[in-house]
């Protein structure tokens, strides 16, 4: 009888999720000679993308196609779209993911309509150690024929976060009454200007959130308000710094994102929407057939937004950590990413959309052979970009293949975002130089640079007067 270690080598690599990152992982596994087994809860690939197929992406095609997937497609005669075109989520599905899924080597790996319930080690609960790394993974799946266990030599978890949205409550819990109003609340980016227009036209809609999903929905509602009387828009944010959602304007390396921010700022300045900043939602209650939304202001006083017909919760999403309840995983206590990745992506510290290159080392857990990739790897951080996930899976698959040179050669080709300067792009600013320490940032994550930006956002001179950057501020790591 073969040992577990020998048997493991003949097992597939389980990929959880058949979105862009999951299919890219499968493409890299195929390229490296592995046998992938891709589990997808939906009945087609890219099920999450299907829910917002009307949304145009910020990044052009050049950042949206994985290199290994491109090679597989081009062998079949597929022609890539123009690199500078901006696809919708639906176009990404139809032009790229659907053809990729139909390739024979990919189609044979797909298990559609198969929901992963949990992942564990064969014969080992979470406590048992000796021999653990030699045991195959057990992937428990609910499929059309019931529950079944599949064995795998490694697991690449690309289940994302989109289907697990954050609630409306400012404390991370559902607002009191939120579950009871489920029929009047949409999470994410509903198609308010298209398929769901009738639900919003002539209604008073509250959009909650300060990200690009909120921005897109607000602009779509504004278009409806131009032609349908009685349509009114309310926007609530938990903070009062809107520079990030306004984006980098014309300086943004992703022009579509910059234009979205410019349009949103113009809408705010026009007075055509009701804006509530520093609104910490606590309770939803029915009053004369409408929803009154109760919140707390920073002063501690109660704030009320009344007469709401519909709510769009563009409040982000979080990873489903139940899948790995029986495995040895370690997460950052704030973001729920890995400990090593958290400092690189923490939105409390990073005002930039740029991400330092990272790969298998930053994604490793104590459970050897398990990697969360894509949006799930970022936990609750909202600044994930698709191109980042493609490089993640390339590095992880190279590591599984034992090619450490390739696995460690992590390179990330991302556009300059311009987001470092968004707090100065649209708001009144002090006469002091806008770059870190009086010059452009050489490393926007450096402590000195963060202090500099913080000082300038308060109207003070900045790094040149800070003891942390003295006596020679120009010698700081954040200064050119």
């Amino acid at each position: 009888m073969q040992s577990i270690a020998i048997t493991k080598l003949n097992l597939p690599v389980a990929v959880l999720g058949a979105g862009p990152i999951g299919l890219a992982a499968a493409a890299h596994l195929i390229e490296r000679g592995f046998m992938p087994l891709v589990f997808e809860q939906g009945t087609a690939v890219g099920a999450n993308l299907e829910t917002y197929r009307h949304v145009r992406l910020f990044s052009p095609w050049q950042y949206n196609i994985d290199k290994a997937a491109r090679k597989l497609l081009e062998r079949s005669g597929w022609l890539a779209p123009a690199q500078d075109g901006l696809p919708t989520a639906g176009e990404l599905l139809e032009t790229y993911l659907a053809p990729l899924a139909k390739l024979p080597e990919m189609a044979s790996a797909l298990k559609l309509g198969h929901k992963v319930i949990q992942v564990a080690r064969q014969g080992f609960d979470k406590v048992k150690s000796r021999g653990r790394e030699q045991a195959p993974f057990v992937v428990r799946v609910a499929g059309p024929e019931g529950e079944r266990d599949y064995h795998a030599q490694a697991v690449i978890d690309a289940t994302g976060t989109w289907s697990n949205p954050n609630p409306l409550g400012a404390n991370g819990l559902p607002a009191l009454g939120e579950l009871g109003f489920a029929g009047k609340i949409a999470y994410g980016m509903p198609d308010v200007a298209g398929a769901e227009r009738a639900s919003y036209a002539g209604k008073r809609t509250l959009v909650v959130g300060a990200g690009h999903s909120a921005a897109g929905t607000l602009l779509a509602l504004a278009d409806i308000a131009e032609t349908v009387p009685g349509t009114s828009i309310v926007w609530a944010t938990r903070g009062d710094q809107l520079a990030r959602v306004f984006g980098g304007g014309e300086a943004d390396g992703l022009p579509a994102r910059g234009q979205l921010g410019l349009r949103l700022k113009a809408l705010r300045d026009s007075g055509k929407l009701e804006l509530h900043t520093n609104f910490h939602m606590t309770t939803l209650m029915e009053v004369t057939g409408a929803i009154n939304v109760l919140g707390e202001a920073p002063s501690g006083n109660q704030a009320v937004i009344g007469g709401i017909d519909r709510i769009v919760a563009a409040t982000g999403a979080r990873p489903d950590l139940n899948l790995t309840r029986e495995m040895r995983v370690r997460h950052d206590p704030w973001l729920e990413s890995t400990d090593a990745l958290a400092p690189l992506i923490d939105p409390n510290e990073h005002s930039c959309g740029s991400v330092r290159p990272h790969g298998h080392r930053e994604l490793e857990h104590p459970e050897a052979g398990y990697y969360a990739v894509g949006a799930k790897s970022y936990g609750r951080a909202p600044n994930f970009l698709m191109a980042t996930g493609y490089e993640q899976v390339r590095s992880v698959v190279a590591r599984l293949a034992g090619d450490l040179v390739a696995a460690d050669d992590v390179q990330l080709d991302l556009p300059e975002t311009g987001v470092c300067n968004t707090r100065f792009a649209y708001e009144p600013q002090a006469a002091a130089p806008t770059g870190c320490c009086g010059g452009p940032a050489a490393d926007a994550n450096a402590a000195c640079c963060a202090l500099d930006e913080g000082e300038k956002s308060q109207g003070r001179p900045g790094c040149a007067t800070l003891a942390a950057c003295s006596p020679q501020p120009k010698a700081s790591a954040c200064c050119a």
Side-chain angles (χ1 to χ4, degrees):
M1 180 174 168
Q2 288 182 314
S3 69
I4 288 177
I6 295 174
T7 303
K8 236 180 103 175
L9 297 176
N10 300 320
L11 292 174
V13 174
V15 178
L16 316 186
I21 308 305
L23 292 187
H28 282 276
L29 289 166
I30 291 168
E31 185 177 60
R32 289 277 185 172
F34 288 97
M35 178 174 57
L37 197 55
V38 185
F39 299 101
E40 168 56 49
Q41 178 178 349
T43 56
V45 299
N48 285 340
L49 287 168
E50 182 64 41
T51 66
Y52 58 95
R53 63 178 297 119
H54 58 286
V55 176
R56 190 165 299 281
L57 307 183
F58 295 131
S59 52
W61 277 110
Q62 70 180 99
Y63 299 109
N64 298 333
I65 300 174
D66 173 73
K67 293 177 181 177
R70 178 189 287 267
K71 290 179 185 176
L72 287 177
L73 283 164
E74 288 178 342
R75 282 188 217 143
S76 70
W78 177 81
L79 296 176
Q83 286 200 357
D84 58 352
L86 289 172
T88 63
E91 289 167 347
L92 187 72
L93 266 173
E94 294 163 6
T95 306
Y96 170 49
L97 294 184
L100 180 61
K102 291 177 182 177
L103 296 177
E105 55 266 66
M106 190 67 73
S108 63
L110 286 172
K111 293 284 185 181
L112 301 175
H114 286 67
K115 179 180 179 179
V116 176
I117 300 171
Q118 277 202 316
V119 183
R121 288 278 194 180
Q122 184 181 21
F124 288 77
D125 63 21
K126 196 169 188 175
V127 177
K128 189 175 178 182
S129 297
R130 183 173 296 179
R132 184 180 190 87
E133 292 189 3
Q134 284 71 50
F137 289 94
V138 176
V139 183
R140 179 156 295 175
V141 177
E145 299 176 357
E147 292 187 3
R148 175 182 166 183
D149 287 344
Y150 292 84
H151 296 120
Q153 59 174 293
V155 175
I156 300 176
D157 184 350
T159 52
T161 61
W162 186 258
S163 58
N164 200 37
N166 289 327
L168 288 167
N171 54 12
L173 303 177
L176 295 173
E178 180 174 345
L179 300 180
F181 285 103
K184 296 185 177 181
I185 302 172
Y187 296 86
M189 290 193 72
D191 190 4
V192 300
E196 299 174 58
R197 179 185 175 93
S199 298
Y200 297 90
K203 303 293 177 59
R204 178 170 161 84
T205 299
L206 169 65
V207 178
V208 183
H212 295 109
S213 294
T217 299
L218 288 164
L219 292 170
L221 288 168
D223 289 341
I224 297 175
E226 290 292 329
T227 59
V228 181
T231 303
S232 63
I233 315 165
V234 187
W235 182 20
T237 65
R238 294 172 183 170
D240 59 4
Q241 297 299 314
L242 304 179
R244 183 171 296 180
V245 67
F246 290 152
E250 294 179 0
D252 200 309
L254 295 176
R257 180 171 56 192
Q259 288 300 314
L260 182 77
L262 288 170
R263 291 178 60 206
L264 179 61
K265 184 176 184 297
L267 176 63
R268 182 200 66 173
D269 294 345
S270 72
K272 294 180 180 179
L273 63 76
E274 179 184 323
L275 175 61
H276 297 260
T277 59
N278 289 318
F279 188 88
H280 295 175
M281 191 179 299
T282 60
T283 307
L284 306 181
M285 56 190 304
E286 184 174 355
V287 177
T288 62
I291 305 172
N292 274 13
V293 182
L294 280 59
E296 292 179 352
S299 63
N301 295 328
Q302 187 178 76
V304 180
I305 303 174
I308 298 298
D309 298 308
R310 301 280 302 177
I311 298 175
V312 177
T315 48
R318 59 183 64 172
D320 179 3
L321 303 182
N322 289 326
L323 293 180
T324 53
R325 184 69 178 81
E326 284 304 312
M327 291 209 298
R328 295 179 175 181
V329 291
R330 181 182 294 126
H331 296 105
D332 174 79
W334 282 267
L335 297 183
E336 297 177 346
S337 67
T338 60
D339 288 333
L341 183 57
L344 307 182
I345 61 174
D346 187 350
N348 292 300
E349 303 294 335
H350 294 269
S351 61
C352 297
S354 59
V355 177
R356 293 180 184 178
H358 61 274
H360 73 102
R361 294 190 185 278
E362 291 81 6
L363 300 172
E364 287 174 348
H365 284 275
E367 193 75 73
Y370 168 80
Y371 297 89
V373 297
K376 186 168 186 177
S377 72
Y378 274 42
R380 300 194 183 203
N383 44 1
F384 172 75
L385 293 174
M386 201 182 307
T388 305
Y390 291 157
E391 182 63 2
Q392 286 180 342
V393 297
R394 186 208 60 78
S395 173
V396 165
V397 173
R399 174 65 184 92
L400 294 176
D403 186 353
L404 282 176
V405 173
D408 288 335
D409 183 21
V410 182
Q411 299 180 15
L412 199 53
D413 178 24
L414 294 178
E416 292 296 329
T417 64
V419 177
C420 282
N421 294 326
T422 54
R423 67 182 63 188
F424 309 113
Y426 306 116
E427 306 297 337
Q429 54 183 287
T434 57
C436 293
C437 307
D443 179 357
N445 300 319
C448 169
C449 190
L451 286 170
D452 181 59
E453 285 192 317
E455 289 292 292
K456 287 174 180 173
S457 70
Q458 301 300 317
R460 294 188 283 270
C463 191
T465 62
L466 290 173
C469 301
S470 297
Q472 299 293 330
K474 284 288 185 180
S476 166
C478 75
C479 301

